[in-house]
Amino acid sequence: MLDRLPTEAKLWAEKLHWKERRYLLSLCHLLCAAPPEDQAHFLDQYTADGLIAKIIQDYETQEKVQKHLLSFHITTELNSITLRRYIRQFYIHSAQDARREPDKFLESALRLVISPEEKNYVLNYILGFELIKMIFQMSWLQQERFYLMQHNQEDFYLTYIKPIQHAHRLNGIINPKDSTLFFAQRNYFVKEPNIPDRKLLELAMVTFTTDVVSSLGFAIVRNIRPVPFDYEFIYRPEEEKIFT
C-alpha cells in the first residue's frame, strides 16, 4: 500500500516512530469510518489553506480560467474567498457522489492534495460548475440556441441540456403543461427560470457528478472540446409573434 504513495510521503511514513504510526493509523481509521459528510468537513478544514496558496501561485492557469469565465459573460472573480467556497463545495459535492459510488469519495477528494498538478482540478471544477449554473438559468429556447451552436450538438444536448431540463421538470421550475399547444408551448419555452441561489447549487450538485463538472472545465481550458458561445444570439429577445 505504501508503494502507491508519492515517494516523499512513503519515506515520511516509513520513518515514523511507532507511537506516531499509531496516531496515523487512528486518523486513517476515523477518516474511513466517518460518514462522507464528516470526511468532507475534515478535508475542507485540513487542506483548504494549502490548496488556495498553490492555486494563487499558479497565476497563469488562474488567469486562463478567469478569461474563460468572462468569455461566457460570467462575472465570478477567482479570489481567495471564491476559491475557499468552491473547495468546500467540491468536498461536499464529492460526498454526495459517494452515495452513488461509495468507493470514489476519498479517491476524488484526496486527488487534490496528493499531486501538486491536481490543484488545476479545482479551477476546472469552478469553470465547469459556473457554466452549468448559467445553463440552469437559461430558458429552454436559450438552451436550444446554445446547444445548436456546438460542434457536437447531440452529445452536448444529452450530456448537459437534457439532464438540466429533466431537473427543471422534476422540481416544478418549468412546467411544460399543454406543450402540444403552440402558444402554451411558447410560454413555457421562452420563460427564464427564477431559481434561488441555494436551490441552484443543490440542483447542479444533484444533477451532475464532480467528474462531469470538472471534465467540462478541463475540456474548455485545454481546448479539447471547445464550447462556442454567442451572448447576443443566445439571449436575444424572442421575435414578435406574427399572430395576436
Side-chain angles (χ1 to χ4, degrees), residues 97-204:
D97 290 350
R99 296 189 181 95
R100 292 174 253 184
E101 298 181 272
D103 296 335
K104 291 289 185 179
F105 172 60
L106 284 177
E107 176 186 340
S108 176
L110 291 175
R111 67 190 301 177
L112 301 185
V113 293
I114 289 175
S115 171
E117 289 76 21
E118 290 295 346
K119 64 183 180 298
N120 293 340
Y121 196 85
V122 176
L123 293 172
N124 295 334
Y125 176 82
I126 293 174
L127 176 57
F129 200 88
E130 288 288 329
L131 185 56
I132 283 171
K133 285 200 304 179
M134 180 187 73
I135 302 174
F136 254 107
Q137 297 173 91
M138 288 180 176
S139 70
W140 285 13
L141 173 62
Q142 292 163 351
Q143 292 176 358
E144 181 180 90
R145 292 171 178 170
F146 190 20
Y147 82 74
L148 287 176
M149 295 180 62
Q150 307 310 308
H151 301 301
N152 191 332
Q153 297 172 3
E154 183 179 9
D155 179 68
F156 193 85
Y157 173 79
L158 292 176
T159 305
Y160 307 109
I161 304 299
K162 186 176 181 180
I164 287 174
Q165 291 188 352
H166 177 71
H168 279 167
R169 288 173 180 260
L170 193 63
N171 291 272
I173 295 169
I174 292 180
N175 182 21
K177 184 179 180 181
D178 299 327
S179 59
T180 56
L181 301 176
F182 177 77
F183 289 110
Q185 180 183 17
R186 300 304 297 175
N187 184 52
Y188 84 79
F189 195 66
V190 302
K191 184 179 180 181
E192 292 186 15
N194 182 18
I195 311 175
D197 290 343
R198 184 178 181 84
K199 183 67 173 179
L200 180 61
L201 290 177
E202 293 173 352
L203 286 174

Side-chain angles (χ1 to χ4, degrees), residues 59 62-78 126-128 130-131 134 220-221 227 229-232 235:
Y59 178 79
Q62 184 181 349
E63 184 67 14
K64 184 184 295 185
V65 172
Q66 186 73 73
K67 287 181 179 178
H68 281 296
L69 287 170
L70 292 175
S71 73
F72 291 107
H73 288 240
I74 297 172
T75 58
T76 298
E77 183 180 353
L78 294 180
I126 293 174
L127 176 57
E130 288 288 329
L131 185 56
M134 180 187 73
I220 295 171
V221 172
V227 179
F229 181 81
D230 184 333
Y231 183 88
E232 299 300 328
Y235 288 96

Side-chain angles (χ1 to χ4, degrees), residues 40-103:
H41 179 72
F42 170 78
L43 289 168
D44 171 55
Q45 296 292 318
Y46 202 65
T47 67
D49 289 338
L51 281 170
I52 291 172
K54 288 180 179 179
I55 293 171
I56 291 177
Q57 289 171 6
D58 188 356
Y59 178 79
E60 183 178 350
T61 304
Q62 184 181 349
E63 184 67 14
K64 184 184 295 185
V65 172
Q66 186 73 73
K67 287 181 179 178
H68 281 296
L69 287 170
L70 292 175
S71 73
F72 291 107
H73 288 240
I74 297 172
T75 58
T76 298
E77 183 180 353
L78 294 180
N79 52 36
S80 59
I81 295 174
T82 302
L83 292 173
R84 179 176 293 278
R85 173 169 56 84
Y86 258 110
I87 289 170
R88 177 173 180 77
Q89 179 184 305
F90 173 82
Y91 286 132
I92 294 172
H93 196 167
S94 297
Q96 291 187 3
D97 290 350
R99 296 189 181 95
R100 292 174 253 184
E101 298 181 272
D103 296 335

